[in-house]
Amino acid sequence: MKIVIIGPAYPYRGGIAAFNERLARQFSAEGNDVEIFTFSLQYPSFLFPGKTQFSTEKRPSDLKITRSLNSVNPFSWIKTVRMIKKVNPDLVVFAHWMSFFAPCYGVIARKLRGVKKIGLIHNMIPHEKSAFDKILSSYFVKSVDSFVALSKSVLDDVAMLDKQDKPKIFVPHPIYDHYGPKEGREEALQNLGLSTVSRYILFFGLVRAYKGLDLLISAMADERLKKYNVKLLVAGEFYDDEKTYLDKIKSLKLNNCVIIDNKFIPDVKVKDYFNAADIIAQPYRTATQSGVTQVGFHFEKAMLVTDVGGLKEIIHDGEFGYVVQPEAEKIADALVDFFENKRKPLFESRVAEEKKKYSWDRITTAIIKIGGEEK
């Protein structure tokens, strides 16, 4: 089968690009002919809040990636349509995560007549909403034939916008298993230059207001945590003003308890942060699903998430992690329970079993199956 994936990929960095590349490899491993069409320009520079959109990794030699799309240039959309038609694919998969890209995706989908078009939906409505999100997202929803959503809450968002009752299915976000193996904690800490005496709570990924890092910092001020020699390790580039967080750390006298690596973490270093961590914390105020959770599964880590969006769908409270309200006190209560009752070995053993549910062949099977369904 010939399959085209449209969305971020090398030379762009980030979770969606990593997902598309891993998905393409899975399709290829199953005997399909796969090509990714990605952006020549993803975001205009004035719209991008980070330091760079581009990866520092080597170009993947095992993937067919074509850079043809300019997200704000309709002429490039038509050019891409012509290129895809020459490929003559059986399925076209649109990796959708922001309404900003809905016009580009929608135009391409509408001009690819006679081809099955599937929306692979990471997020339907952005976490940081604007007045145009529903309008733009509705345009995209009308343009494709069916949907695979990565969380139940996203599936509900799709259903809300889909007035034609098109085929749609929820498939949990597969595990990110391409960051290297689970390794010893001490080696990882040595690679990061961190003490092996302390225990570490990891907040990983881009820092934005909706991710609730400020709640986690407030939780770290809980007096009960001090006797466990716990440190918060923040690994990710700040898309918010870092000073706001630094001021909070200073006001709570947590300078010795919080370690910040304000940078995009390259693929080769991800394993060190997760192998070093005792527990992964995602204190989000809003969410759909999260790739961070799926990295945590790969490295068999206990996880703390908040009771928002789709995060609680795969973290079972009290079994291998915690699901709490997005409040500093509740976050602190869970962390105290984790360290006080030495839950790490039990939780990790359960995660090792649970992660078997999130293989990549589940999502490729679902995409191919729903691509063959008729309304």
Side-chain angles (χ1 to χ4, degrees):
M1 181 175 284
K2 289 185 178 180
I3 300 172
V4 162
I5 299 170
I6 299 179
Y10 188 90
Y12 294 97
R13 68 184 196 184
I16 310 297
F19 188 103
N20 290 337
E21 291 171 12
R22 180 62 181 84
L23 179 65
R25 290 188 174 99
Q26 184 64 34
F27 274 130
S28 294
E30 294 169 1
N32 300 290
D33 184 2
V34 187
E35 183 168 356
I36 303 173
F37 282 80
T38 193
F39 298 94
S40 57
L41 185 146
Q42 184 170 243
Y43 297 101
S45 58
F46 70 91
L47 292 178
F48 184 71
K51 297 171 185 175
T52 179
Q53 302 177 52
F54 298 102
S55 171
T56 58
E57 309 285 337
K58 292 182 179 179
R59 180 184 177 87
S61 59
D62 60 331
L63 296 175
K64 191 184 301 183
I65 300 173
T66 299
R67 293 185 69 190
S68 60
L69 275 173
N70 181 316
S71 62
V72 294
N73 183 346
F75 293 105
S76 78
W77 310 347
I78 304 306
K79 174 186 175 183
T80 300
V81 168
R82 294 195 191 104
M83 296 172 75
I84 293 173
K85 284 181 176 179
K86 288 181 180 179
V87 174
N88 192 26
D90 301 289
L91 292 176
V92 178
V93 179
F94 292 83
H96 181 84
W97 80 106
M98 280 190 68
S99 56
F100 174 79
F101 298 96
C104 167
Y105 283 3
V107 168
I108 292 172
R110 290 175 186 225
K111 291 189 174 294
L112 287 173
R113 298 181 182 89
V115 180
K116 287 290 183 178
K117 294 154 287 191
I118 299 167
L120 176 59
I121 314 299
H122 294 257
N123 297 311
M124 194 76 259
I125 305 297
H127 302 297
E128 297 163 328
K129 301 177 179 64
S130 75
F132 298 102
D133 288 324
K134 284 189 177 180
I135 297 171
L136 295 175
S137 296
S138 294
Y139 177 75
F140 170 71
V141 166
K142 292 175 183 176
S143 305
V144 297
D145 302 308
S146 54
F147 307 91
V148 174
L150 298 179
S151 75
K152 291 177 183 176
S153 62
V154 168
L155 191 69
D156 291 342
D157 289 340
V158 175
M160 177 184 67
L161 297 175
D162 175 25
K163 307 304 181 185
Q164 298 174 285
D165 193 25
K166 296 176 181 178
K168 55 183 73 67
I169 190 173
F170 155 60
V171 180
H173 193 306
I175 288 174
Y176 277 134
D177 55 4
H178 61 287
Y179 291 118
K182 179 182 178 181
E183 295 176 339
R185 176 178 181 272
E186 288 72 19
E187 180 182 350
L189 290 169
Q190 184 177 5
N191 291 341
L192 295 172
L194 298 175
S195 168
T196 58
V197 176
S198 298
R199 315 309 299 180
Y200 295 93
I201 302 162
L202 176 64
F203 178 98
F204 187 87
L206 302 175
V207 179
R208 308 192 81 147
Y210 76 85
K211 292 189 175 183
L213 176 58
D214 59 316
L215 297 175
L216 186 54
I217 292 170
S218 294
M220 288 295 296
D222 193 297
E223 289 292 326
R224 295 173 294 169
L225 284 173
K226 292 186 177 179
K227 64 180 178 180
Y228 305 115
N229 192 15
V230 175
K231 296 186 185 299
L232 170 59
L233 177 58
V234 180
E237 186 177 344
F238 279 68
Y239 278 17
D240 284 342
D241 182 6
E242 185 184 13
K243 185 176 183 300
T244 302
Y245 298 91
L246 295 177
D247 288 345
K248 189 175 188 68
I249 291 167
K250 183 177 180 180
S251 69
L252 294 173
K253 299 179 180 176
L254 294 173
N255 297 72
N256 294 326
C257 301
V258 181
I259 301 164
I260 294 178
D261 288 343
N262 180 3
K263 61 177 181 290
F264 185 88
I265 308 302
D267 287 359
V268 294
K269 295 297 293 181
V270 170
K271 65 182 177 66
D272 287 333
Y273 290 91
F274 279 83
N275 284 320
D278 293 274
I279 186 170
I280 314 303
Q282 295 175 265
Y284 297 1
R285 288 186 168 88
T286 64
T288 47
Q289 41 71 38
S290 172
V292 173
T293 307
Q294 300 309 94
V295 181
F297 268 114
H298 172 61
F299 289 103
E300 299 174 6
K301 292 297 175 179
M303 286 172 271
L304 181 153
V305 302
T306 44
D307 188 5
V308 295
L311 296 180
K312 63 182 177 182
E313 293 171 9
I314 61 173
I315 301 299
H316 302 161
D317 186 41
E319 291 189 30
F320 46 80
Y322 300 93
V323 180
V324 302
Q325 293 301 308
E327 303 168 12
E329 182 180 357
K330 301 298 184 184
I331 294 168
D333 287 344
L335 292 172
V336 170
D337 177 81
F338 178 75
F339 291 106
E340 176 73 27
N341 295 297
K342 299 179 173 61
R343 309 248 186 228
K344 185 173 184 281
L346 176 62
F347 281 6
E348 289 186 354
S349 66
R350 289 174 174 173
V351 171
E353 185 63 29
E354 183 72 10
K355 76 176 188 179
K356 296 174 184 177
K357 296 179 180 179
Y358 303 111
S359 61
W360 282 88
D361 61 349
R362 290 187 66 186
I363 196 163
T364 53
T365 299
I367 289 171
I368 290 173
K369 181 180 178 182
I370 205 167
E373 289 185 12
E374 298 290 344
K375 180 177 174 293

